[in-house]
Amino acid sequence: QQQVKQSPQSLIVQKGGIPIINCAYENTAFDYFPWYQQFPGKGPALLIAIRPDVSEKKEGRFTISFNKSAKQFSLHIMDSQPGDSATYFCAASKWETSGSRLTFGEGTQLTVNP
Amino acid sequence: DGGITQSPKYLFRKEGQNVTLSCEQNLNHDAMYWYRQDPGQGLRLIYYSQIVNDFQKGDIAEGYSVSREKKESFPLTVTSAQKNPTAFYLCASSIRTSGGAHTQYFGPGTRLTVL
């Protein structure tokens, strides 16, 4: 079963807070875990990604934590800003001979209040 | 100006009509993908193509068709057999780097509405 379960469905924080979005996967063959940010009416944009051999990756205010044994990974947004208000998707994929298929979580709608 | 373009941005279709959504990329990416996004849901894969003249069904291919005659282009046809086509359609492309990552980049999307 190639599922990725994402929580929470929605999240509201105050400016400066640290929202945390969690994802869990089932397929141990997945070898790539990206996070995408999507604003209304736009296509998703890659935010940050991690491979299974790394437990944490930081890019600016965004951090991915990865727990291979638990098959879970999470996104933390440090010092969140109102401009971070968007829908966030986690995803997972494995390289197949016919290309890379991304399996997406259902998304988290983040609202950062001023 | 490199990237992925999708057209039209908005598309209206009458029931029983086939419509074709355009996707073009000038990133020299080998693989291209079509996803469907419904409100409050994640993206679901319709079709993908790794090389020219070859493509595979995704999770929800019924009622859709694609072609890949050129590396840069991957049009999607929504046929009359698709019973609930109203959705936001996203095209993506990817290339595998030497480090093994296979990042997908998305276009701006086409919103299809059935009247």
Side-chain angles (χ1 to χ4, degrees):
Chain A
Q1 186 76 357
Q2 297 202 15
Q3 279 189 331
V4 176
K5 296 183 179 180
Q6 184 172 346
S7 63
Q9 190 173 13
S10 63
L11 186 56
I12 301 173
V13 300
Q14 292 299 120
K15 177 182 175 181
I18 306 176
I20 301 173
I21 304 170
N22 301 297
C23 286
Y25 64 98
E26 299 177 1
N27 190 336
T28 55
F30 285 148
D31 61 359
Y32 180 63
F33 302 88
W35 284 88
Y36 284 85
Q37 179 189 56
Q38 185 180 30
F39 294 103
K42 306 293 185 183
L46 180 68
L47 200 58
I48 186 172
I50 198 167
R51 301 295 304 277
D53 53 348
V54 177
S55 61
E56 184 176 278
K57 183 175 181 180
K58 289 183 181 181
E59 286 188 7
R61 296 184 293 107
F62 301 94
T63 299
I64 298 179
S65 298
F66 187 83
N67 186 330
K68 187 175 181 179
S69 61
K71 293 187 287 185
Q72 295 176 348
F73 58 110
S74 60
L75 176 70
H76 301 228
I77 305 175
M78 310 300 289
D79 187 27
S80 59
Q81 301 295 314
D84 296 329
S85 297
T87 300
Y88 293 82
F89 293 96
C90 63
S93 71
K94 61 177 182 177
W95 184 255
E96 302 177 69
T97 54
S98 297
S100 168
R101 297 182 50 155
L102 275 175
T103 299
F104 282 85
E106 294 186 346
T108 295
Q109 188 167 351
L110 171 66
T111 302
V112 181
N113 289 326
Chain B
D1 187 23
I4 303 171
T5 57
Q6 291 186 241
S7 61
K9 185 171 182 178
Y10 299 97
L11 185 58
F12 298 91
R13 190 195 94 171
K14 294 181 180 179
E15 287 194 20
Q17 283 183 335
N18 293 355
V19 291
T20 298
L21 283 58
S22 170
C23 178
E24 304 276 335
Q25 56 99 359
N26 61 4
L27 301 168
N28 198 34
H29 286 178
D30 295 312
M32 297 186 74
Y33 312 79
W34 274 105
Y35 293 89
R36 170 182 172 140
Q37 185 175 29
D38 293 285
Q41 297 188 29
L43 283 69
R44 292 183 290 167
L45 183 65
I46 303 173
Y47 270 99
Y48 64 106
S49 167
Q50 173 65 358
I51 56 173
V52 174
N53 293 323
D54 186 51
F55 47 83
Q56 285 73 42
K57 293 182 179 180
D59 300 318
I60 55 166
E62 185 175 354
Y64 300 97
S65 66
V66 294
S67 63
R68 186 88 186 276
E69 298 177 359
K70 299 186 299 181
K71 186 176 183 179
E72 302 80 16
S73 179
F74 191 41
L76 173 74
T77 297
V78 184
T79 74
S80 57
Q82 171 50 236
K83 298 306 179 186
N84 186 23
T86 294
F88 191 46
Y89 290 88
L90 289 157
C91 177
S93 68
S94 74
I95 190 168
R96 194 173 197 191
T97 67
S98 58
H102 28 81
T103 300
Q104 291 189 24
Y105 298 90
F106 284 83
T110 292
R111 187 166 300 280
L112 173 63
T113 302
V114 173
L115 302 174

